[in-house]
Amino acid sequence: MMRERGQASIEVLALLPVLIVACLVAVQVVALLAAASSAQDRARSAAMVATGDGTVRVRGSARVTRVLPVMPRFDAVTVVASVRPS
């Protein structure tokens, strides 16, 4: 019985670095999606304010927070919003 408990704890310790990295990657993806959502909101509100004939296209951007130093560097996420006056 004791050997099985010891084996399970060793397996958990072996998987711990993988679980930590997976959690940090998940947090980075959430940060990227939050920045994209913020940029989309900014672009949409700027497009609603803009006046013009036909479709108005506006770019919005937001900075992305880096969680892991080894992750690719995203200075900003840029999105385009289009609004057609009704």
Side-chain angles (χ1 to χ4, degrees), residues 68-80:
L68 292 172
V70 295
M71 295 297 285
R73 185 173 183 98
F74 299 107
D75 288 333
V77 175
T78 304
V79 295
V80 176

Side-chain angles (χ1 to χ4, degrees), residues 30-42 60 62-64 77-79:
V30 168
L32 181 65
L33 293 175
S37 176
S38 174
Q40 180 68 26
D41 289 343
R42 287 181 189 176
R63 293 186 57 91
V64 179
V77 175
T78 304
V79 295

Side-chain angles (χ1 to χ4, degrees), residues 16-30 67-68:
L16 196 59
V18 174
L19 293 173
I20 291 171
V21 169
C23 288
L24 290 174
V25 168
V27 168
Q28 183 66 57
V29 169
V30 168
V67 177
L68 292 172

